[in-house]
Amino acid sequence: MNHKPKSSTNRLPNSKDLKILLTIGGLYSLATFLSNAFVNVFLWKQSGNYVDIAVYNLFIYILQPIAFVIAGKFTKKVDRTLIIRFGVTFLSIFYVTVLLVGDQASKIPYLLGAILGIGYGFYWLAFNVLTFEVTEPESRDFFNGILGVLQSLGGMIGPFVAGYIISKLDNFQGYSIIFFISFFLFLLAVVCSFFLKKRKATGRFLFRHVVEERKSNSNWRFILNAHIFQGLREGLFIFIVAIWVYIATDSEFALGSFNLLFSFCSFVGYYVITKLTKKSNRKKTIFFGGLLLYLGVGIFVFQPGFWMLLLYGVVVGVAYPVFNVPFISLTYDIIGKAKGAKELRIEYIIFRELFVNIGRVSAISLFIIGVLVFDPEFIIPILLLTIGSGNLIAYYFVRKTDSSIYNTPS
């Protein structure tokens, strides 16, 4: 009896929607990396206040899960490609707002953070749901690896070009140009979304069932706990790195160069890990990635200058793909084996995102309290060394998952 060959992990499956989704993801990455780090520096240069930067990021991660839930409810009623389109449109609005308010941006960090958080929420809900649908367990590691490569390319090109433009032009003029380019790239992503096959979800939004699944499904419970600690590290490092690199160098071009090196190492890391990762060694790979990430924290905190910051960029650039590719794939496989996954995939993805943002909001809240109560030079290194262990702690929960459930033979 003849059998159709299974999808190979060595080549991208021939799927139009999968390729379009990767294109949207690539445009998103380039637009985001072009401007994201520089938005934090843009605000820092206006206020010089850690709290303003933290509030901006805090509102991103407060509004993002709320937008996730709202988007999830709408995804049960309308074409989900409309959801990703709405998210990308809102991200475009963010950059228009920054362009309009200009040097008054630091006075409304909460509004800017809220707009970006809503855009992120709608975009990532739809992107994650579509990823779940257009990939299979056999192609998931490869898809996540290719997406990681695109993200790394965006991370190499975007910040370096942005840093060069800002350094060669008047500060506000340079920032205006990169924010406009990001706006244009998001418009291209909106256009690409029109080529996605319409995908409608039927049924009701049954969030309670996913919450109850956490009580009875230990795999689901453990991976959610792991996401809290992954989010804990992300919440703090996502903005403090850019600020510290800028403070150390007083140069946007140096920040762009740092991100170029970081993303080049991520590019190599994603390429290698895509070739080498197997379901059988996911847990060991996640542990090694978490260990490397914490090693990077030590380098970052005790660095004497820019060259050690570059070493941090190399170590963490390699560590992120080592941790993320198997961690994301493992999460999708656990969701795929959970009760009612086919009908409740949207609810599962939303619930996972809530736990990631619990970690992010907790980290930023601790940071705000810390710098308000203590001298920032004293408390920030302590926060980095403790909160920075998040990915390593996440492994503690990953190792408790039952491998036999999601490690189906390929």
Side-chain angles (χ1 to χ4, degrees):
M1 184 177 179
N2 294 327
H3 295 277
K4 292 182 179 180
K6 293 183 180 180
S7 299
S8 171
T9 56
N10 294 321
R11 61 184 179 85
L12 191 65
N14 185 23
S15 165
K16 177 185 173 184
D17 274 1
L18 189 147
K19 292 173 182 176
I20 293 172
L21 195 61
L22 284 174
T23 301
I24 293 172
L27 288 169
Y28 169 90
S29 298
L30 182 57
T32 301
F33 279 113
L34 186 70
S35 298
N36 255 19
F38 294 97
V39 172
N40 285 299
V41 174
F42 187 61
L43 296 174
W44 172 263
K45 291 178 75 170
Q46 292 181 22
S47 73
N49 190 333
Y50 280 114
V51 174
D52 287 340
I53 315 302
V55 166
Y56 161 69
N57 286 275
L58 179 66
F59 271 79
I60 291 174
Y61 298 123
I62 289 175
L63 270 293
Q64 183 171 323
I66 295 173
F68 239 70
V69 174
I70 296 171
K73 290 185 175 182
F74 276 109
T75 305
K76 287 286 186 174
K77 299 177 180 179
V78 300
D79 177 8
R80 63 199 59 183
T81 61
L82 293 175
I83 304 301
I84 197 168
R85 199 172 301 146
F86 181 85
V88 175
T89 301
F90 231 86
L91 293 170
S92 303
I93 292 171
F94 167 79
Y95 288 103
V96 171
T97 305
V98 174
L99 286 168
L100 290 175
V101 298
D103 58 6
Q104 301 299 307
S106 63
K107 296 181 180 179
I108 52 169
Y110 46 87
L111 177 60
L112 294 176
I115 294 172
L116 199 58
I118 293 169
Y120 281 158
F122 277 84
Y123 172 84
W124 280 115
L125 183 279
F127 192 89
N128 285 330
V129 170
L130 289 169
T131 297
F132 194 97
E133 293 184 344
V134 303
T135 63
E136 299 294 336
E138 292 80 12
S139 63
R140 227 158 257 158
D141 283 331
F142 195 83
F143 176 87
N144 288 324
I146 294 297
L147 181 63
V149 168
L150 292 174
Q151 290 170 338
S152 297
L153 284 172
M156 283 189 283
I157 298 168
F160 185 78
V161 170
Y164 179 80
I165 290 173
I166 294 171
S167 66
K168 293 297 180 181
L169 298 173
D170 169 74
N171 268 341
F172 181 69
Q173 185 182 8
Y175 278 105
S176 297
I177 289 173
I178 65 166
F179 294 154
F180 178 79
I181 294 172
S182 291
F183 165 73
F184 179 74
L185 291 171
F186 279 125
L187 285 185
L188 288 181
V190 171
V191 172
C192 288
S193 70
F194 282 96
F195 294 94
L196 286 168
K197 178 183 176 182
K198 291 185 177 181
R199 295 173 179 271
K200 294 184 179 179
T202 57
R204 294 179 297 153
F205 188 72
L206 302 173
F207 202 65
R208 182 171 56 86
H209 292 258
V210 176
V211 177
E212 291 175 350
E213 178 71 3
R214 184 173 181 268
K215 299 176 183 177
S216 58
N217 184 337
S218 59
N219 273 355
W220 182 227
R221 182 168 62 253
F222 290 140
I223 204 68
L224 286 173
N225 291 341
H227 276 81
I228 291 177
F229 288 96
Q230 180 207 15
L232 201 68
R233 186 192 191 282
E234 282 184 9
L236 183 55
F237 279 76
I238 204 164
F239 69 91
I240 202 68
V241 171
I243 299 302
W244 273 26
V245 171
Y246 178 75
I247 290 174
T249 63
D250 194 32
S251 167
E252 284 91 352
F253 185 67
L255 176 58
S257 301
F258 168 84
N259 279 284
L260 171 63
L261 179 64
F262 165 79
S263 297
F264 174 75
C265 293
S266 288
F267 175 82
V268 175
Y270 274 112
Y271 179 81
V272 173
I273 202 68
T274 299
K275 297 289 185 181
L276 299 180
T277 190
K278 298 177 181 178
K279 290 183 179 182
S280 58
N281 63 13
R282 278 180 180 168
K283 289 184 179 181
K284 291 180 181 177
T285 307
I286 290 168
F287 169 73
F288 184 61
L291 191 63
L292 275 178
L293 283 168
Y294 194 62
L295 174 64
V297 174
I299 296 172
F300 184 70
V301 170
F302 298 111
Q303 52 82 22
F306 183 59
W307 289 107
M308 288 299 285
L309 284 173
L310 292 179
L311 177 60
Y312 165 80
V314 171
V315 172
V316 176
V318 172
Y320 268 121
V322 173
F323 183 91
N324 284 340
V325 170
F327 185 70
I328 294 169
S329 298
L330 184 153
T331 300
Y332 277 123
D333 283 356
I334 288 177
I335 291 174
K337 294 292 183 180
K339 184 178 179 182
K342 185 176 180 181
E343 298 79 14
L344 303 175
R345 65 171 67 93
I346 295 171
E347 288 87 342
Y348 276 108
I349 290 171
I350 291 172
F351 201 51
R352 182 203 67 171
E353 190 66 18
L354 288 177
F355 275 72
V356 175
N357 281 282
I358 286 172
R360 291 167 175 165
V361 169
S362 298
I364 298 173
S365 298
L366 287 171
F367 178 84
I368 292 173
I369 294 169
V371 297
L372 286 175
V373 175
F374 302 99
D375 179 4
E377 291 188 10
F378 166 75
I379 196 63
I380 291 177
I382 294 174
L383 291 171
L384 292 172
L385 288 169
T386 50
I387 293 174
S389 64
N391 292 72
L392 199 54
I393 298 173
Y395 168 75
Y396 168 77
F397 295 101
V398 167
R399 67 186 291 271
K400 296 175 77 172
T401 59
D402 180 7
S403 303
S404 64
I405 292 180
Y406 51 83
N407 277 355
T408 54
S410 57

